[in-house]
């Protein structure tokens, strides 16, 4: 009797396997992601927005490395750093396509509150929203997302939220008016009813707003995660 039951259970498991496999393949990709990679990656790679996709390509030959689309969304801007391709999408999502263990993959997604409404119908506003902070080669390198209401900084390696700087009352950050000086990002913060220019300019780096005597948190990856990333 026990042998018969075991045989029936084995047959049922075998018959169920194709159904499980089919269900796995039928699941939609998260966030509508569609990443298509070429069989051989180009030796040198640049990234651009092309139509409704973000595309990595060889700047010499034009050969494609990978193409990244999100169903029903459009990329508005890209910013690259060694090993990373950050993209800003029409729904206010920020993504990072990175190389992990010699394989190109969409590493993280971050939805930025209020960004989609501010960008709607004005794709030109996307210029300046994505800003790199800190040495890109370090694990503590950061990506800042500049919007009128706040500057939000994410760790490039894993998308971890590290700090947020809200705009002053009656003021708004202007992503289109930024400058860099010795690794410091200067962001315009125009204010209503104020004529003190120093209040309309904010300086930040990978550790947050630059102020006298600050004691910022470190942004490096935990040792265990950092070691896995380098592998």
């Amino acid at each position: 009797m026990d042998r018969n039951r075991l045989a029936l259970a084995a047959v049922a498991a075998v018959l169920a396997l194709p159904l499980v496999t089919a269900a796995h393949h039928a699941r939609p990709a998260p966030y509508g992601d569609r990443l298509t990679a070429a069989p051989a990656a180009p030796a040198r790679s640049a990234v651009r927005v092309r139509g409704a996709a973000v595309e990595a390509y060889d700047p010499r030959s034009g050969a494609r490395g990978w193409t990244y689309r999100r169903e029903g969304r459009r990329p508005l801007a890209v910013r690259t750093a060694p090993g990373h391709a950050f993209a800003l999408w029409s729904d206010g999502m920020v993504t990072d396509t990175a190389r992990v263990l010699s394989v190109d993959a969409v590493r993280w997604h971050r939805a930025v509150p209020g960004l989609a409404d501010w960008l709607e119908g004005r794709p030109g506003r996307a210029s300046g929203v994505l800003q790199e902070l800190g040495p890109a080669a370090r694990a503590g390198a950061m990506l800042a997302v500049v919007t009128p209401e706040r500057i939000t900084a994410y760790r490039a390696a894993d998308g971890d939220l590290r700090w947020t700087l809200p705009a002053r009352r009656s003021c708004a950050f202007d992503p289109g008016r930024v400058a860099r000086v010795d690794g410091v990002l200067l962001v315009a913060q125009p204010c209503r009813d104020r004529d003190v220019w120093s209040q309309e300019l904010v300086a930040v780096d990978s550790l947050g707003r630059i102020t006298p005597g600050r004691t910022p948190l470190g942004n490096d990856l935990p040792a265990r995660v950092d070691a896995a990333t380098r592998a």
Side-chain angles (χ1 to χ4, degrees), residues 78-81 86 127-136 141-146 151-152 163 174-188 201-207 210:
V78 295
R79 180 170 286 274
T80 60
F86 306 108
S127 176
V129 170
L130 303 181
Q131 295 290 336
E132 182 187 336
L133 298 175
M142 309 286 288
L143 176 74
V145 180
V146 183
I151 302 174
T152 308
W163 53 262
D174 185 349
R177 296 164 60 194
V178 299
R180 292 182 182 276
V181 179
D182 295 332
V184 175
L185 181 68
L186 303 176
V187 183
L201 193 66
V202 171
V204 298
D205 61 12
S206 61
L207 301 177
I210 299 175

Side-chain angles (χ1 to χ4, degrees), residues 13 51 71 75 81 130 140 151 155-156 187 194 196:
E71 187 174 350
L130 303 181
I151 302 174
R155 188 163 52 203
V187 183
R194 292 188 182 179
V196 181

Side-chain angles (χ1 to χ4, degrees), residues 1 12 15 51 63-64 71 86 92 96 98 103-104 176 192 195 224:
M1 181 66 69
L15 292 176
R64 293 183 185 179
E71 187 174 350
F86 306 108
D96 174 32
V103 177
D104 292 310
R192 297 195 301 270
D195 55 5
R224 178 176 57 82

Side-chain angles (χ1 to χ4, degrees), residues 27 107 117 125 143 155 215:
R27 287 185 301 179
R107 190 156 193 178
D117 293 338
R125 285 183 168 181
L143 176 74
R155 188 163 52 203
T215 55

Side-chain angles (χ1 to χ4, degrees), residues 70-115:
R70 294 183 57 229
E71 187 174 350
R73 312 300 181 187
R74 293 179 298 107
L76 302 180
V78 295
R79 180 170 286 274
T80 60
H84 298 271
F86 306 108
L88 172 63
W89 298 81
S90 57
D91 61 349
M93 187 77 73
V94 175
T95 62
D96 174 32
T97 304
R99 175 151 288 200
V100 182
L101 299 177
S102 301
V103 177
D104 292 310
V106 183
R107 190 156 193 178
W108 50 261
H109 307 71
R110 293 295 179 268
V112 181
L115 186 53

